Amino acid sequence: MKPKALVIGLGVSGLAAAELLHSLGYRVEAVDQKRPESDLGPFTFKEESEITSLLDYKKVVVSPGIGPKHRLIQLSCRQEVELISEAELGLSQIQQKVVGITGTNGK
């Protein structure tokens, strides 16, 4: 059976993270404040209130706009489920050296 991953936040980068996880063989579920208007294809949308445990997930990927006090982030920490950012997920797949530019709008 494929491992499960949860993506918190379904903006452009959240959808990209979900696609990458799917390509890596994960069964992807996602939560967002609002239900997507279009079909998510191979991903499953879950209402946040439906998730009471994260122990079934191998990995939780969080969008940068989600604060550290978010209930699912706190739950991930308590249940010791791997919690990573979208950037960390993407960077984990790059074999070359990477230069990062941080700050507002890349300044």
Side-chain angles (χ1 to χ4, degrees), residues 7-55:
V7 175
I8 303 173
L10 277 178
V12 173
S13 58
L15 287 172
E19 289 173 5
L20 176 56
L21 287 164
H22 179 70
S23 74
L24 295 172
Y26 285 86
R27 225 175 48 206
V28 180
E29 295 181 351
V31 297
D32 197 274
Q33 287 181 337
K34 56 184 177 178
R35 181 173 288 280
E37 294 177 13
S38 60
D39 180 36
L40 292 177
F43 320 128
T44 303
F45 180 80
K46 304 269 286 200
E47 295 287 345
E48 183 183 331
S49 60
E50 294 178 66
I51 300 174
T52 57
S53 173
L54 296 173
L55 295 175

Side-chain angles (χ1 to χ4, degrees), residues 8 15 59 70 77:
I8 303 173
L15 287 172
K59 189 178 303 270
H70 189 281
C77 293

Side-chain angles (χ1 to χ4, degrees), residues 54-86:
L54 296 173
L55 295 175
D56 288 342
Y57 298 95
K58 181 169 176 69
K59 189 178 303 270
V60 175
V61 180
V62 62
S63 294
I66 307 298
K69 293 184 179 181
H70 189 281
R71 183 183 72 83
L72 294 177
I73 291 175
Q74 295 294 310
L75 185 60
S76 177
C77 293
R78 282 194 307 275
Q79 294 182 342
E80 299 181 352
V81 176
E82 182 182 9
L83 175 68
I84 63 171
S85 68
E86 294 169 348

Side-chain angles (χ1 to χ4, degrees), residues 85-100:
S85 68
E86 294 169 348
E88 185 176 351
L89 174 66
L91 290 169
S92 73
Q93 300 305 303
I94 298 173
Q95 302 303 313
Q96 297 82 9
K97 290 183 179 181
V98 175
V99 175

